[in-house]
Amino acid sequence: MAALIAENFRFLSLFFKSKDVMIFNGLVALGTVGSEELFSVVAFNCPCSPAHNYIYGLAAIGVPALVLFLIGVMWNNHTWNLVAECHKRGTKNFSAAATFLLFGSIMGRASVAPITWSVISLLRGEAYICALSEFVKPSSLDKFPADYGAEVLAKFPCRDVPANLTKFRDEVSRRLRYESQLFGWLLIGIVAVLVFLTKCLKHCCSPLSYRQEAYWAQYRSNEDKLFRRTAEVHSRILAAKNVKQFFGFVALDKEEKELVQEFPVEGVQPSPQWNAITGVYIYRENKGFPLYSRLHKWAKGVEGNGPTPEGHELLFLAS
Protein backbone atom coordinates (compact mmCIF):
# COMPACT_ATOMS: atom_id res chain seq x y z
CA MET A 1 0.00 0.00 0.00
CA ALA A 2 2.78 2.42 0.90
CA ALA A 3 4.51 1.73 -2.41
CA LEU A 4 1.26 2.35 -4.28
CA ILE A 5 0.71 5.66 -2.49
CA ALA A 6 4.30 6.73 -3.17
CA GLU A 7 3.91 5.85 -6.85
CA ASN A 8 0.70 7.88 -7.09
CA PHE A 9 2.36 10.89 -5.49
CA ARG A 10 5.28 10.55 -7.89
CA PHE A 11 2.88 10.46 -10.83
CA LEU A 12 1.04 13.56 -9.62
CA SER A 13 4.33 15.36 -9.10
CA LEU A 14 5.48 14.60 -12.64
CA PHE A 15 2.08 15.59 -14.02
CA PHE A 16 2.07 18.96 -12.34
CA LYS A 17 5.67 19.62 -13.34
CA SER A 18 4.84 18.90 -16.99
CA LYS A 19 1.71 21.06 -16.87
CA ASP A 20 3.10 23.93 -14.82
CA VAL A 21 2.24 26.65 -17.37
CA MET A 22 -1.30 25.37 -17.88
CA ILE A 23 -1.89 25.06 -14.14
CA PHE A 24 -0.45 28.51 -13.51
CA ASN A 25 -2.73 30.01 -16.15
CA GLY A 26 -5.69 28.18 -14.59
CA LEU A 27 -4.85 29.54 -11.14
CA VAL A 28 -4.52 33.04 -12.58
CA ALA A 29 -7.93 32.69 -14.22
CA LEU A 30 -9.55 31.41 -11.01
CA GLY A 31 -7.98 34.24 -9.01
CA THR A 32 -9.26 36.73 -11.55
CA VAL A 33 -12.78 35.29 -11.34
CA GLY A 34 -12.74 35.64 -7.56
CA SER A 35 -11.42 39.20 -7.76
CA GLU A 36 -14.09 40.17 -10.29
CA GLU A 37 -16.84 38.72 -8.11
CA LEU A 38 -15.52 40.63 -5.08
CA PHE A 39 -15.25 43.82 -7.12
CA SER A 40 -18.83 43.49 -8.36
CA VAL A 41 -20.18 42.99 -4.84
CA VAL A 42 -18.08 45.57 -3.01
CA ALA A 43 -16.87 48.24 -5.42
CA PHE A 44 -19.17 48.39 -8.45
CA ASN A 45 -21.77 51.13 -8.11
CA CYS A 46 -23.29 52.51 -11.30
CA PRO A 47 -23.74 56.31 -11.09
CA CYS A 48 -27.02 56.13 -13.05
CA SER A 49 -26.38 59.50 -14.62
CA PRO A 50 -26.31 60.41 -18.32
CA ALA A 51 -22.81 60.74 -19.78
CA HIS A 52 -21.35 59.14 -16.66
CA ASN A 53 -22.73 55.61 -17.01
CA TYR A 54 -20.86 54.94 -20.24
CA ILE A 55 -17.48 56.04 -18.90
CA TYR A 56 -17.96 54.21 -15.60
CA GLY A 57 -19.14 51.00 -17.23
CA LEU A 58 -16.26 50.86 -19.68
CA ALA A 59 -13.78 51.76 -16.94
CA ALA A 60 -15.12 48.94 -14.74
CA ILE A 61 -14.32 46.47 -17.53
CA GLY A 62 -11.25 48.04 -19.14
CA VAL A 63 -9.18 49.55 -16.33
CA PRO A 64 -8.85 46.38 -14.19
CA ALA A 65 -8.14 44.40 -17.35
CA LEU A 66 -5.38 46.87 -18.28
CA VAL A 67 -3.87 46.69 -14.78
CA LEU A 68 -3.95 42.87 -14.85
CA PHE A 69 -2.33 42.90 -18.30
CA LEU A 70 0.52 45.15 -17.12
CA ILE A 71 1.04 42.97 -14.04
CA GLY A 72 1.19 39.93 -16.31
CA VAL A 73 3.81 41.61 -18.50
CA MET A 74 5.90 42.58 -15.47
CA TRP A 75 5.62 39.07 -14.03
CA ASN A 76 6.90 37.40 -17.18
CA ASN A 77 10.61 36.55 -17.16
CA HIS A 78 10.75 37.02 -20.94
CA THR A 79 10.00 40.73 -20.44
CA TRP A 80 13.09 41.37 -18.34
CA ASN A 81 15.20 39.03 -20.45
CA LEU A 82 14.21 41.16 -23.44
CA VAL A 83 15.11 44.35 -21.57
CA ALA A 84 18.49 42.89 -20.61
CA GLU A 85 19.06 41.67 -24.16
CA CYS A 86 18.31 45.07 -25.69
CA HIS A 87 20.45 46.84 -23.08
CA LYS A 88 23.49 44.57 -23.38
CA ARG A 89 23.45 43.36 -26.97
CA GLY A 90 20.81 45.32 -28.87
CA THR A 91 18.39 43.63 -31.27
CA LYS A 92 20.86 42.82 -34.04
CA ASN A 93 20.57 39.09 -33.31
CA PHE A 94 16.77 39.10 -33.50
CA SER A 95 15.04 38.05 -36.67
CA ALA A 96 11.45 39.01 -37.41
CA ALA A 97 10.24 35.50 -36.57
CA ALA A 98 12.08 35.42 -33.25
CA THR A 99 10.76 38.86 -32.31
CA PHE A 100 7.21 37.80 -33.18
CA LEU A 101 7.51 34.62 -31.10
CA LEU A 102 8.93 36.51 -28.14
CA PHE A 103 6.26 39.21 -28.07
CA GLY A 104 3.58 36.60 -28.72
CA SER A 105 4.75 34.64 -25.69
CA ILE A 106 4.78 37.73 -23.46
CA MET A 107 1.42 39.04 -24.64
CA GLY A 108 -0.23 35.62 -24.61
CA ARG A 109 0.62 34.88 -21.00
CA ALA A 110 -0.16 38.41 -19.87
CA SER A 111 -3.61 38.23 -21.53
CA VAL A 112 -4.93 35.35 -19.41
CA ALA A 113 -6.07 37.48 -16.47
CA PRO A 114 -7.48 40.48 -18.42
CA ILE A 115 -9.40 38.24 -20.83
CA THR A 116 -10.84 36.32 -17.88
CA TRP A 117 -11.84 39.58 -16.22
CA SER A 118 -13.50 40.86 -19.40
CA VAL A 119 -15.34 37.59 -19.99
CA ILE A 120 -16.70 37.39 -16.45
CA SER A 121 -17.73 41.06 -16.57
CA LEU A 122 -19.58 40.50 -19.83
CA LEU A 123 -21.27 37.33 -18.60
CA ARG A 124 -22.47 39.10 -15.46
CA GLY A 125 -23.69 42.00 -17.58
CA GLU A 126 -23.86 44.65 -14.85
CA ALA A 127 -21.15 46.90 -16.26
CA TYR A 128 -22.51 46.53 -19.80
CA ILE A 129 -26.05 47.43 -18.69
CA CYS A 130 -24.72 50.42 -16.77
CA ALA A 131 -22.70 51.65 -19.77
CA LEU A 132 -25.36 51.31 -22.48
CA SER A 133 -28.74 51.70 -20.81
CA GLU A 134 -28.98 55.38 -21.72
CA PHE A 135 -28.35 54.62 -25.39
CA VAL A 136 -31.37 52.35 -25.80
CA LYS A 137 -33.75 53.97 -28.26
CA PRO A 138 -37.12 54.68 -26.65
CA SER A 139 -38.75 53.96 -30.00
CA SER A 140 -37.57 50.34 -29.75
CA LEU A 141 -39.65 49.88 -26.59
CA ASP A 142 -43.33 49.18 -27.19
CA LYS A 143 -45.56 51.95 -25.76
CA PHE A 144 -42.72 53.72 -23.99
CA PRO A 145 -43.97 57.13 -22.72
CA ALA A 146 -42.87 59.93 -25.03
CA ASP A 147 -42.13 62.35 -22.19
CA TYR A 148 -39.22 60.20 -20.87
CA GLY A 149 -35.76 60.18 -22.41
CA ALA A 150 -32.12 59.31 -21.78
CA GLU A 151 -32.21 60.73 -18.24
CA VAL A 152 -34.68 58.09 -17.13
CA LEU A 153 -33.06 55.30 -19.15
CA ALA A 154 -29.74 56.07 -17.43
CA LYS A 155 -31.40 55.35 -14.07
CA PHE A 156 -32.62 51.89 -15.08
CA PRO A 157 -29.53 50.06 -13.64
CA CYS A 158 -30.29 51.58 -10.21
CA ARG A 159 -33.98 50.60 -10.34
CA ASP A 160 -34.79 54.17 -9.33
CA VAL A 161 -37.61 54.68 -11.82
CA PRO A 162 -41.33 55.45 -11.69
CA ALA A 163 -43.62 52.47 -11.17
CA ASN A 164 -45.10 52.75 -14.67
CA LEU A 165 -41.61 52.15 -16.17
CA THR A 166 -40.79 48.96 -14.25
CA LYS A 167 -41.65 46.65 -17.13
CA PHE A 168 -39.53 48.75 -19.51
CA ARG A 169 -36.62 48.63 -17.08
CA ASP A 170 -36.83 44.82 -16.98
CA GLU A 171 -36.98 44.65 -20.76
CA VAL A 172 -33.98 46.93 -21.20
CA SER A 173 -31.97 44.99 -18.62
CA ARG A 174 -32.86 41.68 -20.26
CA ARG A 175 -31.96 42.97 -23.72
CA LEU A 176 -28.61 44.43 -22.65
CA ARG A 177 -27.72 41.38 -20.55
CA TYR A 178 -28.39 39.21 -23.59
CA GLU A 179 -26.03 41.34 -25.70
CA SER A 180 -23.38 41.37 -22.98
CA GLN A 181 -23.45 37.61 -22.48
CA LEU A 182 -23.43 37.05 -26.24
CA PHE A 183 -20.23 39.12 -26.53
CA GLY A 184 -18.78 37.19 -23.59
CA TRP A 185 -19.43 33.80 -25.19
CA LEU A 186 -18.09 35.04 -28.52
CA LEU A 187 -14.93 36.22 -26.78
CA ILE A 188 -14.52 32.80 -25.16
CA GLY A 189 -14.94 31.09 -28.53
CA ILE A 190 -12.49 33.39 -30.31
CA VAL A 191 -9.86 32.95 -27.60
CA ALA A 192 -10.30 29.16 -27.61
CA VAL A 193 -9.81 29.01 -31.39
CA LEU A 194 -6.76 31.28 -31.23
CA VAL A 195 -5.18 29.19 -28.47
CA PHE A 196 -5.80 26.00 -30.44
CA LEU A 197 -4.33 27.43 -33.66
CA THR A 198 -1.35 28.85 -31.77
CA LYS A 199 -0.58 25.50 -30.17
CA CYS A 200 -0.85 23.76 -33.55
CA LEU A 201 1.40 26.36 -35.20
CA LYS A 202 3.92 26.14 -32.37
CA HIS A 203 4.27 22.36 -32.64
CA CYS A 204 4.26 22.39 -36.45
CA CYS A 205 7.02 25.01 -36.62
CA SER A 206 9.09 23.61 -33.77
CA PRO A 207 12.49 22.23 -34.89
CA LEU A 208 12.35 19.79 -31.97
CA SER A 209 10.57 16.50 -31.63
CA TYR A 210 7.79 16.28 -29.07
CA ARG A 211 9.98 14.31 -26.65
CA GLN A 212 12.96 16.64 -27.01
CA GLU A 213 10.74 19.66 -26.48
CA ALA A 214 9.37 18.04 -23.30
CA TYR A 215 12.94 17.36 -22.17
CA TRP A 216 13.90 20.98 -22.89
CA ALA A 217 11.00 22.17 -20.76
CA GLN A 218 12.09 19.88 -17.91
CA TYR A 219 15.68 21.08 -18.24
CA ARG A 220 14.66 24.76 -18.10
CA SER A 221 12.52 24.13 -15.04
CA ASN A 222 15.23 22.18 -13.23
CA GLU A 223 17.95 24.65 -14.17
CA ASP A 224 15.88 27.56 -12.90
CA LYS A 225 15.06 25.83 -9.60
CA LEU A 226 18.65 24.75 -8.99
CA PHE A 227 20.02 28.16 -9.99
CA ARG A 228 17.66 30.00 -7.64
CA ARG A 229 18.35 27.59 -4.77
CA THR A 230 22.11 27.73 -5.29
CA ALA A 231 22.10 31.51 -5.67
CA GLU A 232 20.23 31.84 -2.39
CA VAL A 233 22.77 29.65 -0.57
CA HIS A 234 25.73 31.34 -2.28
CA SER A 235 24.50 34.82 -1.38
CA ARG A 236 23.84 33.78 2.23
CA ILE A 237 27.34 32.32 2.64
CA LEU A 238 28.96 35.36 0.99
CA ALA A 239 26.94 37.69 3.21
CA ALA A 240 28.00 35.69 6.27
CA LYS A 241 31.67 36.02 5.32
CA ASN A 242 31.38 39.76 4.81
CA VAL A 243 29.48 40.28 8.06
CA LYS A 244 32.08 38.24 9.93
CA GLN A 245 34.89 40.30 8.41
CA PHE A 246 33.18 43.50 9.56
CA PHE A 247 32.16 42.47 13.09
CA GLY A 248 34.71 39.76 13.73
CA PHE A 249 31.98 37.15 14.14
CA VAL A 250 28.64 36.25 12.60
CA ALA A 251 25.55 34.88 14.35
CA LEU A 252 24.55 31.77 12.40
CA ASP A 253 22.01 29.11 13.26
CA LYS A 254 22.85 25.43 13.01
CA GLU A 255 21.70 25.06 9.42
CA GLU A 256 23.64 28.11 8.26
CA LYS A 257 26.80 26.90 10.00
CA GLU A 258 26.51 23.61 8.14
CA LEU A 259 26.08 25.46 4.85
CA VAL A 260 29.15 27.63 5.47
CA GLN A 261 31.26 24.56 6.29
CA GLU A 262 29.94 22.46 3.41
CA PHE A 263 30.07 25.05 0.62
CA PRO A 264 33.15 27.29 0.77
CA VAL A 265 32.61 30.48 -1.24
CA GLU A 266 35.81 32.15 -2.38
CA GLY A 267 34.41 35.06 -4.35
CA VAL A 268 31.72 36.33 -6.67
CA GLN A 269 31.14 35.81 -10.37
CA PRO A 270 32.36 38.69 -12.57
CA SER A 271 29.83 40.80 -14.45
CA PRO A 272 30.71 39.36 -17.90
CA GLN A 273 29.61 35.94 -16.70
CA TRP A 274 26.29 37.30 -15.42
CA ASN A 275 25.77 39.11 -18.72
CA ALA A 276 26.55 35.93 -20.65
CA ILE A 277 23.78 33.94 -18.92
CA THR A 278 21.21 36.76 -18.91
CA GLY A 279 18.91 37.71 -21.76
CA VAL A 280 16.66 36.22 -24.41
CA TYR A 281 17.69 32.76 -25.52
CA ILE A 282 17.00 31.26 -28.93
CA TYR A 283 17.45 27.51 -29.19
CA ARG A 284 20.75 26.66 -30.87
CA GLU A 285 22.78 23.63 -31.77
CA ASN A 286 26.55 23.42 -31.83
CA LYS A 287 28.10 20.66 -33.94
CA GLY A 288 24.78 18.85 -33.81
CA PHE A 289 24.46 19.00 -30.03
CA PRO A 290 21.65 21.06 -28.46
CA LEU A 291 22.28 24.06 -26.23
CA TYR A 292 19.25 24.39 -23.97
CA SER A 293 19.95 27.73 -22.28
CA ARG A 294 22.37 30.60 -22.00
CA LEU A 295 23.89 28.94 -18.95
CA HIS A 296 24.31 25.72 -20.93
CA LYS A 297 25.91 27.67 -23.79
CA TRP A 298 28.26 29.47 -21.38
CA ALA A 299 29.24 26.18 -19.72
CA LYS A 300 30.12 24.75 -23.17
CA GLY A 301 32.18 27.82 -24.04
CA VAL A 302 30.08 28.79 -27.07
CA GLU A 303 30.26 32.50 -27.84
CA GLY A 304 27.63 34.75 -29.44
CA ASN A 305 23.95 34.29 -30.12
CA GLY A 306 23.90 34.24 -33.89
CA PRO A 307 24.62 31.46 -36.38
CA THR A 308 28.25 30.43 -36.79
CA PRO A 309 30.02 27.90 -39.02
CA GLU A 310 29.99 25.43 -36.11
CA GLY A 311 26.58 26.30 -34.74
CA HIS A 312 23.09 26.46 -36.16
CA GLU A 313 20.47 28.83 -34.79
CA LEU A 314 16.87 27.65 -34.81
CA LEU A 315 14.15 30.24 -34.40
CA PHE A 316 12.44 28.68 -31.41
CA LEU A 317 12.16 30.53 -28.13
CA ALA A 318 11.73 29.04 -24.70
CA SER A 319 8.03 29.13 -23.87
Side-chain angles (χ1 to χ4, degrees):
M1 179 61 69
L4 179 61
I5 294 175
E7 187 66 26
N8 288 334
F9 274 115
R10 190 178 299 110
F11 170 77
L12 290 175
S13 176
L14 292 174
F15 175 81
F16 282 114
K17 285 181 180 179
S18 64
K19 305 295 183 182
D20 54 348
V21 174
M22 182 178 66
I23 293 173
F24 177 77
N25 289 340
L27 292 177
V28 169
L30 289 176
T32 306
V33 171
S35 300
E36 204 282 336
E37 291 290 334
L38 181 63
F39 172 81
S40 298
V41 173
V42 177
F44 185 81
N45 189 15
C46 186
C48 294
S49 173
H52 293 92
N53 284 12
Y54 184 70
I55 297 175
Y56 184 84
L58 291 184
I61 299 175
V63 173
L66 176 62
V67 172
L68 291 171
F69 177 78
L70 294 177
I71 292 174
V73 171
M74 290 186 293
W75 240 346
N76 195 322
N77 290 334
H78 282 327
T79 302
W80 308 117
N81 282 332
L82 176 62
V83 172
E85 185 75 19
C86 293
H87 176 66
K88 296 297 182 182
R89 306 176 186 88
T91 59
K92 59 181 181 297
N93 292 324
F94 282 6
S95 65
T99 303
F100 176 79
L101 286 174
L102 177 61
F103 277 99
S105 175
I106 295 174
M107 299 303 170
R109 291 192 183 184
S111 299
V112 174
I115 289 177
T116 303
W117 180 279
S118 301
V119 166
I120 298 300
S121 297
L122 290 172
L123 292 180
R124 288 181 62 90
E126 294 180 356
Y128 189 88
I129 293 173
C130 176
L132 297 180
S133 61
E134 64 181 287
F135 297 103
V136 176
K137 294 181 179 180
S139 58
S140 65
L141 302 173
D142 187 29
K143 298 181 180 180
F144 188 82
D147 50 341
Y148 293 112
E151 293 79 6
V152 173
L153 290 170
K155 296 180 179 179
F156 277 11
C158 296
R159 301 180 180 273
D160 184 18
V161 295
N164 63 324
L165 297 181
T166 301
K167 66 175 183 178
F168 298 108
R169 180 198 65 200
D170 295 339
E171 182 179 350
V172 169
S173 297
R174 183 168 55 252
R175 181 187 302 179
L176 293 178
R177 181 169 280 105
Y178 155 75
E179 294 178 0
S180 179
Q181 292 182 348
L182 177 61
F183 290 141
W185 289 118
L186 287 176
L187 181 58
I188 292 175
I190 292 172
V191 170
V193 171
L194 289 178
V195 170
F196 172 74
L197 294 177
T198 301
K199 294 290 289 184
C200 291
L201 183 64
K202 177 178 179 291
H203 286 290
C204 289
C205 297
S206 172
L208 307 179
S209 66
Y210 178 77
R211 289 187 179 274
Q212 187 179 9
E213 187 176 338
Y215 177 85
W216 186 23
Q218 292 175 342
Y219 173 84
R220 291 197 312 269
S221 177
N222 289 325
E223 182 189 82
D224 182 66
K225 291 176 183 177
L226 291 173
F227 188 92
R228 290 177 182 272
R229 191 186 309 161
T230 306
E232 196 277 333
V233 173
H234 186 281
S235 62
R236 187 185 302 183
I237 296 174
L238 182 62
K241 291 182 61 176
N242 293 336
V243 171
K244 182 178 181 179
Q245 185 174 355
F246 183 81
F247 287 107
F249 73 97
V250 58
L252 300 175
D253 57 27
K254 182 179 179 181
E255 180 184 355
E256 289 171 336
K257 289 180 181 178
E258 293 175 353
L259 288 176
V260 171
Q261 294 175 357
E262 185 177 359
F263 304 110
V265 174
E266 301 299 333
V268 296
Q269 288 67 32
S271 294
Q273 289 187 6
W274 286 102
N275 294 336
I277 67 171
T278 303
V280 176
Y281 181 71
I282 299 175
Y283 176 82
R284 296 184 65 237
E285 293 182 358
N286 183 260
K287 297 181 180 180
F289 291 94
L291 300 172
Y292 289 120
S293 69
R294 281 195 172 277
L295 181 60
H296 189 191
K297 186 176 69 172
W298 172 84
K300 292 296 183 181
V302 180
E303 299 293 337
N305 195 39
T308 63
E310 296 181 347
H312 177 58
E313 179 185 297
L314 300 174
L315 298 179
F316 191 61
L317 290 161
S319 59

